[in-house]
Amino acid sequence: MDKRCSLPLTSSHWGTYRIETRDGRVEALHGFEQDPDVSPIGTGIIDVLDGPTRIRTPAVRKSWLDLGPGAANDRRGADPFVRITWEEAEQIVADELGRIRRNHGNNAIYAGSYGWASAGRFHHAQSQIHRFLNCIGGYVRSVDTYSFAAGEVILPHILGNIYVFLTHATSWPSIIDHSDLLVAFGGIPLKNGQINAGGIGRHTQRENLKRAARSGLKIVNVSPVRSDVDSDALTTWLAPRPNTDTAILLGIAHTLHTENLVDHAFIAKYTCGYERFAAYLDGAVDGTVKNAKWASDISGLTREEIIALARDMAGERTMISLAWSLTRQDHGEQPFWAGVAVAAMLGQIGLPGGGIGFGYSATNSVGDHGSRVPGASLPQGHNPVRDFIPVARISDMLLNPGGEFNYNGQTLTYPDIRLVYWAGGNPFHHHQDLNRMLKAWRKPDTVIVNEWCWNSMAKHSDIVLPCTTTLERNDIALSPRDPYAVSMQKAVEPHGLARNDFDIFSGIARKMGVGEAFTGNWSEEEWLHHIYDQTRENALARGISLPAYEDFKTAGWFAYPPPEEPTILLKAFRDDPVANPLKTRSGKIEIFCPTVDAFGYPDCPGHPAWIEPLEWLGNAGQFPLHLLSNQPATKLHSQLDHGRYSRSRKIRDREPVAINAREAAKRNLKEGDIVRIYNRRGACLAGLTVDDGIRDGVALMSTGAWYDPEKPGRPGSLCKHGNPNVLTPDQGTSSLAQGPSANTCLVEMEKFEGPLPPITAYEPPEFSD
């Protein structure tokens, strides 16, 4: 046996690794022996674990410390910091939380946490911060995700609980054995399949796509980017204008409707509202027939391509895959709804290899053929504060306290936030229009963050508390979306004065008189034992026997046995829709939804519809490139952007941007040039790569480069590093979901002239103590 198999394990969102240490330092991370497709992302932590970006001690922004809360907020991002002790930090945070609660109430506290900080089940930043704040009276929360918020809100109206469609997607074995055609709107990007919330034991997306290729499965990649399907399969690339997937799907639907290719028996038995939708397709609603010619004029695909695709889909066992990225556009609810309508018209939902799926290879778990066990977690307690916001509306909330907003049939009011406490996640990565967010960021009196490295979030905070990484603490990976349980073993001591989130909050809780309520009088080890035992009970209820806790720790990992049969999404519903109704208003698939229709939103009517985006190639003027900001291949979001693997893929230290040779020639640009990308919202630099797998009129730039303004703290400053969110619009997808619309973005680019400004994103701030 390879001697590395005896090394301790750690798990992360991008995989499981064996840890090799020497003299108290991590020397190497080796791929887990169960994983045939180990992600290289994980190795990026080695050189930064104790590097210059590491936060070694608690610190406070100097102006805040000298002048008090709310002072010189425009200096966030530019001010020096003052190092303090943990005793001082705990008291300062406890006092400030107490002041806010006394003077403004708990609904003036916003808890920002996006849950991606750790794959561990106990040291899960979101659970820790929410439990702590609930112990002191609650907080304003966020709902939905930046990944697919529009889908999270629309799908429950038309299909039911969205998380069923993520955890019970038709599995790859069913597709490989039974599908003839896989039509992938937005592709099946393997780079995204490197990650999975809560950990990965075995990467499977690549091997499944290779098996699909060998089976003869035909794949149609409907995307402006050819590499969105990376496969040896027989792949056809259809390259539409970005943000026109809904129009294409409506053109397909009209073809099915007029050529008598609709499964009317399925429509009658399993759906409601088809007649209203058909009338819209025929133009009875607005005078516009949604035929293939109409869809061609909008999308840039030919009429013949759309008709042929519709006929092929009707003539073969077809799986429709809708990428999560389709929801991150203006009116992002519509592609998912239109895709469901087309799948219903084909009548293959609930059949082996047929129907619809959401986000194949968006994460490793979608379509994975593995057993699912709901892992226990740290109880968060009760939050008595009822105020919440859609996650992508944080700038709106800070800029418009007391303002009204629509969300999913409700008219709500933005709270007046005086304190932001962040643990896990980075809004300077996730959020759109960072220059607008910088203005909003000046509003709170105080911003507190638990963070392990001096990223843009830490630099724009007032109080910074250093936390540990997964390599510096014990934990358990028990993802409900992965069939592996992993004992995550502490490999090295915490760097500097870094503490676990549990210990950080325990110390503050003691100062505030709620220490026992927060800890439950249990240690880290006692909580880990409890969480594992609860998960063991959950597994046993599903016929899966996990080893005892100590035996599990000794073995290091456990794999749940795979299910006997492949998963088929909505099979039970198809088999008996009366006994197994959907969790919708009608119990059926709602092609027309009376609930959504009754909301009366002009930007989200009661059926799938084409609504012209805020900006797109159909109305381009001085900004003729449509920028798509996709998920990066070298990191998860912005995590480990400063690591060696991510930095090795940059061009002259900048994030790459890709256009095709024709677009490069128009601008006299060549491979390797540093370019300035700009629009009315902002500008950034990037390193150019020329790729003829990019559609005309499209620029492709991954998210995740740490925000690095030329003039820190000043809205409108050039981002030297290449964060595309200085360019993207901060507008909700619609009044229904209020999700992010990052992929609705027009820009122009030019060669950058003059001295190239140095990258400072990876440098710690100045200290004045």
Side-chain angles (χ1 to χ4, degrees):
M1 183 178 72
D2 190 331
K3 65 179 182 180
R4 291 181 298 187
C5 292
S6 62
L7 295 173
L9 285 164
T10 192
S11 185
S12 66
H13 302 301
W14 39 84
T16 299
Y17 302 85
R18 296 279 182 182
I19 317 164
E20 183 178 348
T21 61
R22 181 178 300 169
D23 299 326
R25 299 184 75 252
V26 175
E27 287 287 307
L29 293 180
H30 303 286
F32 182 38
E33 59 272 14
Q34 294 290 306
D35 192 349
D37 189 22
V38 177
S39 171
I41 292 175
T43 60
I45 197 172
I46 296 172
D47 60 313
V48 296
L49 196 60
D50 55 3
T53 57
R54 192 67 195 269
I55 302 173
R56 294 170 168 80
T57 181
V60 180
R61 185 170 65 87
K62 181 172 172 50
S63 294
W64 192 97
L65 187 64
D66 291 346
L67 303 174
N73 289 351
D74 60 334
R75 294 284 298 163
R76 286 183 180 134
D79 245 358
F81 282 80
V82 178
R83 299 178 182 92
I84 59 174
T85 67
W86 270 114
E87 176 67 23
E88 292 171 317
E90 290 171 355
Q91 193 63 59
I92 287 172
V93 173
D95 289 347
E96 179 60 0
L97 285 167
R99 182 186 75 85
I100 296 294
R101 294 169 64 215
R102 286 191 306 273
N103 295 345
H104 306 287
N106 280 70
N107 65 346
I109 300 171
Y110 178 71
S113 178
Y114 206 53
W116 284 96
S118 171
R121 205 68 179 162
F122 176 63
H123 292 295
H124 177 242
Q126 189 178 81
S127 298
Q128 294 282 345
I129 188 173
H130 290 174
R131 180 180 174 88
F132 165 70
L133 291 176
N134 284 336
C135 286
I136 63 168
Y139 60 94
V140 175
R141 62 193 170 93
S142 64
V143 297
D144 307 325
T145 68
Y146 281 95
S147 296
F148 50 92
E152 288 175 278
V153 179
I154 191 62
L155 284 181
H157 289 294
I158 59 177
L159 280 181
N161 185 349
I162 183 174
Y163 292 100
V164 170
F165 309 119
L166 301 181
T167 59
H168 293 80
T170 297
S171 57
W172 275 105
S174 180
I175 295 171
I176 291 166
D177 291 342
H178 298 284
S179 298
D180 300 308
L181 177 64
L182 173 58
V183 183
F185 288 88
I188 307 173
L190 290 178
K191 62 179 178 56
N192 296 7
Q194 293 180 94
I195 61 100
N196 193 58
I200 299 176
R202 177 187 176 89
H203 289 87
T204 59
Q205 293 291 334
R206 190 182 307 277
E207 64 178 311
N208 282 321
L209 208 52
K210 286 184 175 180
R211 287 180 58 207
R214 292 193 296 269
S215 76
L217 175 67
K218 293 174 288 186
I219 299 178
V220 178
N221 175 26
V222 186
S223 168
V225 181
R226 177 159 41 203
S227 62
D228 274 346
V229 172
D230 179 13
S231 171
D232 298 326
L234 179 62
T235 303
T236 300
W237 180 35
L238 299 180
R241 288 170 168 170
N243 291 192
T244 64
D245 306 87
T246 298
I248 296 167
L249 285 159
L250 294 175
I252 291 170
H254 184 272
T255 302
L256 299 175
H257 171 58
T258 57
E259 294 193 2
N260 198 28
L261 298 175
V262 176
D263 186 334
H264 288 286
F266 184 92
I267 292 292
K269 187 174 182 180
Y270 299 100
T271 77
C272 65
Y274 175 71
E275 295 78 10
R276 296 282 296 268
F277 178 56
Y280 171 74
L281 295 176
D282 287 335
V285 175
D286 56 8
T288 300
V289 178
K290 313 305 182 301
N291 58 25
K293 173 62 169 59
W294 168 85
S296 171
D297 292 342
I298 292 171
S299 68
L301 300 184
T302 68
R303 171 183 176 273
E304 291 72 24
E305 285 173 330
I306 295 169
I307 291 174
L309 182 58
R311 291 170 178 169
D312 288 345
M313 293 167 73
E316 301 183 272
R317 182 61 59 85
T318 299
M319 172 61 70
I320 299 172
S321 174
L322 302 171
W324 293 359
S325 61
L326 301 182
T327 68
R328 298 193 296 271
Q329 59 177 282
D330 198 16
H331 314 299
E333 298 84 358
Q334 300 307 317
F336 272 27
W337 202 348
V340 170
V342 169
M345 294 168 76
L346 294 173
Q348 299 181 26
I349 292 173
L351 294 177
I356 195 164
F358 304 94
Y360 284 100
S361 202
T363 67
N364 185 69
S365 64
V366 180
D368 184 35
H369 182 61
S371 296
R372 302 286 189 261
V373 173
S377 59
L378 178 70
Q380 296 183 17
H382 171 66
N383 182 5
V385 175
R386 307 322 306 158
D387 290 334
F388 70 90
I389 62 165
V391 69
R393 301 274 56 82
I394 183 171
S395 291
D396 285 359
M397 173 184 70
L398 295 177
L399 290 168
N400 301 293
E404 288 188 346
F405 67 98
N406 293 314
Y407 173 76
N408 201 15
Q410 306 168 76
T411 300
L412 303 169
T413 302
Y414 286 123
D416 186 2
I417 297 299
R418 300 303 183 96
L419 184 146
V420 172
Y421 199 146
W422 216 280
N426 179 358
F428 287 85
H429 159 74
H430 275 110
H431 202 66
Q432 287 68 57
D433 196 348
L434 290 180
N435 289 308
R436 182 173 187 259
M437 196 184 88
L438 269 179
K439 297 174 184 177
W441 210 244
R442 296 174 174 179
K443 296 293 183 176
D445 293 351
T446 302
V447 178
I448 307 171
V449 66
N450 295 4
E451 185 54 80
W452 72 281
C453 52
W454 283 109
N455 58 23
S456 46
M457 176 62 200
K459 291 177 182 178
H460 287 83
S461 297
D462 299 315
I463 304 170
V464 180
L465 306 178
C467 62
T468 56
T469 70
T470 53
L471 298 174
E472 299 163 331
R473 60 195 182 217
N474 297 306
D475 214 330
I476 308 173
L478 290 170
S479 172
R481 301 185 182 100
D482 191 79
Y484 281 80
V486 178
S487 176
M488 301 166 60
Q489 300 165 55
K490 179 179 176 180
V492 292
E493 291 300 314
H495 187 69
L497 298 180
R499 291 181 176 179
N500 303 333
D501 287 312
F502 180 67
D503 295 328
I504 292 172
F505 290 124
S506 295
I508 301 168
R510 283 192 294 271
K511 295 287 186 184
M512 301 186 75
V514 293
E516 290 187 7
F518 175 73
T519 65
N521 283 324
W522 280 357
S523 66
E524 171 194 84
E525 178 61 19
E526 288 171 317
W527 273 112
L528 290 174
H529 203 314
H530 171 74
I531 287 169
Y532 182 82
D533 285 347
Q534 278 199 322
T535 304
R536 193 179 180 208
E537 291 179 12
N538 295 342
L540 193 60
R542 287 160 174 77
I544 298 173
S545 179
L546 270 66
Y549 180 62
E550 293 300 332
D551 294 335
F552 166 70
K553 288 178 63 177
T554 300
W557 61 275
F558 179 83
Y560 309 141
E564 294 182 2
E565 298 292 334
T567 300
I568 301 171
L569 181 64
L570 298 180
K571 180 180 184 300
F573 170 66
R574 185 185 185 102
D575 288 345
D576 191 338
V578 175
N580 305 294
L582 301 181
K583 294 186 182 300
T584 61
R585 174 174 170 168
S586 64
K588 297 182 177 183
I589 299 168
E590 301 216 346
I591 298 176
F592 174 85
C593 180
T595 301
V596 173
D597 187 62
F599 294 158
Y601 297 146
D603 55 0
C604 191
H607 55 74
W610 162 255
I611 307 169
E612 185 173 358
L614 168 72
E615 51 191 68
W616 65 302
L617 292 179
N619 64 10
Q622 67 181 105
F623 304 112
L625 288 173
H626 194 126
L627 177 67
L628 296 176
S629 47
N630 66 351
Q631 296 299 315
T634 60
K635 49 192 170 271
L636 168 58
H637 303 146
S638 64
Q639 292 186 59
L640 299 183
D641 180 57
H642 58 322
R644 63 190 180 192
Y645 179 61
S646 175
R647 294 176 75 167
S648 71
R649 301 295 185 91
K650 295 182 186 284
I651 298 174
R652 295 168 67 185
D653 298 326
R654 324 287 151 164
E655 194 69 21
V657 63
I659 56 176
N660 68 29
R662 290 177 295 278
E663 296 295 347
K666 290 178 186 177
R667 297 164 177 80
N668 296 315
L669 299 173
K670 65 181 185 301
E671 180 87 16
D673 280 346
I674 299 301
V675 296
R676 174 177 171 265
I677 311 171
Y678 61 95
N679 60 20
R680 294 184 185 91
R681 290 177 288 271
C684 67
L685 301 183
L688 184 68
T689 181
V690 179
D691 182 354
D692 284 336
I694 308 291
R695 189 197 190 279
D696 286 349
V698 172
L700 179 69
M701 187 177 185
S702 293
T703 60
W706 283 9
Y707 174 60
D708 194 14
E710 192 169 28
K711 298 176 181 178
R714 185 176 300 181
S717 181
L718 173 76
C719 177
K720 303 174 291 181
H721 193 198
N723 187 319
N725 275 330
V726 300
L727 303 161
T728 55
D730 184 13
Q731 173 172 301
T733 52
S734 79
S735 301
L736 183 80
Q738 297 285 2
S741 299
N743 282 325
T744 297
C745 180
L746 293 181
V747 301
E748 179 56 295
M749 74 170 61
E750 62 187 7
K751 185 173 181 179
F752 180 75
E753 304 288 354
L756 196 59
I759 298 297
T760 53
Y762 307 136
E763 296 179 5
E766 294 181 3
F767 292 90
S768 65
D769 50 308

